[in-house]
Amino acid sequence: MPAPIRKAVFPVAGLGTRFLPATKAVPKEMLTVVDRPIIQYVVDEAREAGIEHFIFITGRNKHVIADHFDVSFELKHTLRERGKQKALELLEQFRLAPGKTSFTRQQEPLGLGHAVWCAREMVGNEPFAVLLPDVLVKVERGCLAQMIDTYNQTGGNVIAVEEVPEDQTNQYGVVDVEDAGTDGVYHVHGMVEKPAPGTAPSNLIITGRYILQPQVFDYLEDQETGAGGEIQLTDALMKLMKAQGMSGLAFEGKTYDCGSKIGFLSANVAYALSREDLADDYRAVLKDLLAD
Ligand code: G1P
């Protein structure tokens, strides 16, 4: 068995400019899908996959993310006094264990690669996961859990990949693969961040879930800038891939890119429709709205 994946990094420093004015005072990761902040879904996906330590790369105006995963003594006290047992249980269910979270600030917005590099001391010398909170994957068994299944067989580096229409490849990191893959696992042999339209090596994109060996920090150390003038994770992954190899898992599940308004709105509809307490009423409302 390869070394267990115990730690996960959540880069949550982004400004969320696409969602202004909503994100002026509220971090984009705290926007809600149904009744939970986006970051909650991603943290739950990591918990389900067995992650024990949660590392958040934050920035200014992001302290509410730490508050969200903390115990709110006043709220607990008030709920207890009012006999709101269900609400208390709900809070308990989402809390992260003491000492199992770490927060550090990405002091300047230099790119995703730089954000991940900021976690180097907290991760140390062991393989770890990265989950981008813009991306929600809706599925029975979470995307990271599926990737860990693959990792337990292959070891090394594993990234989640999925197909998108060709005219969208310029919005993502795109991989080049050799063959059709076995059991959904591809051998990745090239990648490029945000290729110009018409130049992508395939229509398989990097979804925003990664299992990486700690040597990735050595490549990020160079602080070289790439696409968009930012320090790109994909550029470091390319070097890591050449040195160690990399698997791409075509995971099961439906992805919602909550970094875009359509993706975020779609996530709200999809998650609400899969909630027992809301589905019937909400379906009826949607039918009415669509009939207009
Ligand atoms: C980042 C990564 C990109 C990946 C994408 C997934 O881009 O750099 O490789 O495909 O997330 O959402 P961003 O969305 O931060 O521009």
Side-chain angles (χ1 to χ4, degrees), residues 18 112 132 134-135 171-174 192-194 205-208 210 232-234 257:
R18 274 188 276 178
L112 177 61
L132 306 190
D134 273 354
V135 181
Q171 300 167 27
Y172 298 98
V174 181
V192 52
E193 182 66 19
K194 312 227 164 59
I205 63 144
I206 305 173
T207 292
Y210 312 79
Q232 295 290 353
L233 180 60
T234 304
D257 182 354

Side-chain angles (χ1 to χ4, degrees), residues 89-154:
E89 280 164 18
L90 192 78
L91 288 184
E92 198 52 32
Q93 183 190 325
F94 288 127
R95 141 164 114 103
L96 296 177
K100 297 289 189 181
T101 53
S102 297
F103 297 85
T104 193
R105 279 191 180 185
Q106 184 189 20
Q107 297 164 335
E108 295 172 275
L110 298 178
L112 177 61
H114 179 259
V116 172
W117 177 76
C118 289
R120 66 200 180 283
E121 301 227 339
M122 290 183 282
V123 168
N125 190 27
E126 60 180 280
F128 64 104
V130 178
L131 296 96
L132 306 190
D134 273 354
V135 181
L136 294 187
V137 184
K138 192 166 180 307
V139 62
E140 191 75 24
R141 182 165 168 73
C143 181
L144 187 63
Q146 295 177 43
M147 291 170 71
I148 288 181
D149 292 344
T150 300
Y151 167 81
N152 285 339
Q153 314 247 327
T154 61

Side-chain angles (χ1 to χ4, degrees), residues 6-267:
R6 303 185 309 123
K7 299 180 181 177
V9 175
F10 302 87
V12 293
L15 296 175
T17 43
R18 274 188 276 178
F19 280 87
L20 283 169
T23 47
K24 192 173 167 214
V26 176
K28 63 174 174 170
E29 298 79 11
M30 292 300 290
L31 298 180
T32 47
V33 169
V34 189
D35 54 8
R36 290 164 207 187
I38 294 174
I39 186 68
Q40 180 75 64
Y41 290 90
V42 185
V43 163
D44 286 347
E45 179 185 328
R47 281 213 288 197
E48 182 207 347
I51 295 298
E52 296 167 12
H53 196 108
F54 304 80
I55 299 168
F56 297 88
I57 310 301
T58 70
R60 291 181 182 284
N61 290 334
K62 300 282 184 168
H63 53 272
V64 294
I65 296 177
D67 290 346
H68 178 74
F69 290 107
D70 194 5
V71 171
S72 168
F73 179 76
E74 299 88 338
L75 181 59
K76 257 179 113 170
H77 179 74
T78 311
L79 290 174
R80 204 174 286 133
E81 274 200 335
R82 295 186 183 169
K84 303 267 186 200
Q85 196 51 37
K86 266 207 171 137
L88 277 167
E89 280 164 18
L90 192 78
L91 288 184
E92 198 52 32
Q93 183 190 325
F94 288 127
R95 141 164 114 103
L96 296 177
K100 297 289 189 181
T101 53
S102 297
F103 297 85
T104 193
R105 279 191 180 185
Q106 184 189 20
Q107 297 164 335
E108 295 172 275
L110 298 178
L112 177 61
H114 179 259
V116 172
W117 177 76
C118 289
R120 66 200 180 283
E121 301 227 339
M122 290 183 282
V123 168
N125 190 27
E126 60 180 280
F128 64 104
V130 178
L131 296 96
L132 306 190
D134 273 354
V135 181
L136 294 187
V137 184
K138 192 166 180 307
V139 62
E140 191 75 24
R141 182 165 168 73
C143 181
L144 187 63
Q146 295 177 43
M147 291 170 71
I148 288 181
D149 292 344
T150 300
Y151 167 81
N152 285 339
Q153 314 247 327
T154 61
N157 303 285
V158 182
I159 58 174
V161 298
E162 69 181 301
E163 288 185 26
V164 299
E166 248 153 60
D167 62 353
Q168 290 176 19
T169 49
N170 62 334
Q171 300 167 27
Y172 298 98
V174 181
V175 298
D176 195 1
V177 293
E178 245 158 35
D179 45 33
T182 317
D183 295 334
V185 183
Y186 294 92
H187 173 68
V188 178
H189 69 101
M191 60 180 80
V192 52
E193 182 66 19
K194 312 227 164 59
T199 68
S202 76
N203 66 339
L204 267 187
I205 63 144
I206 305 173
T207 292
R209 300 288 186 271
Y210 312 79
I211 292 174
L212 302 174
Q213 297 298 315
Q215 287 73 24
V216 71
F217 293 121
D218 300 339
Y219 299 115
L220 287 169
E221 197 78 40
D222 299 343
Q223 311 267 308
E224 267 174 41
T225 54
E230 297 189 344
I231 300 168
Q232 295 290 353
L233 180 60
T234 304
D235 294 342
L237 292 190
M238 207 150 22
K239 295 174 187 162
L240 187 68
M241 174 201 76
K242 282 189 183 139
Q244 300 184 342
M246 188 166 295
S247 307
L249 174 67
F251 57 95
E252 280 173 26
K254 170 108 178 91
T255 303
Y256 295 92
D257 182 354
C258 292
S260 84
K261 283 178 196 160
I262 286 291
F264 173 70
L265 294 170
S266 312

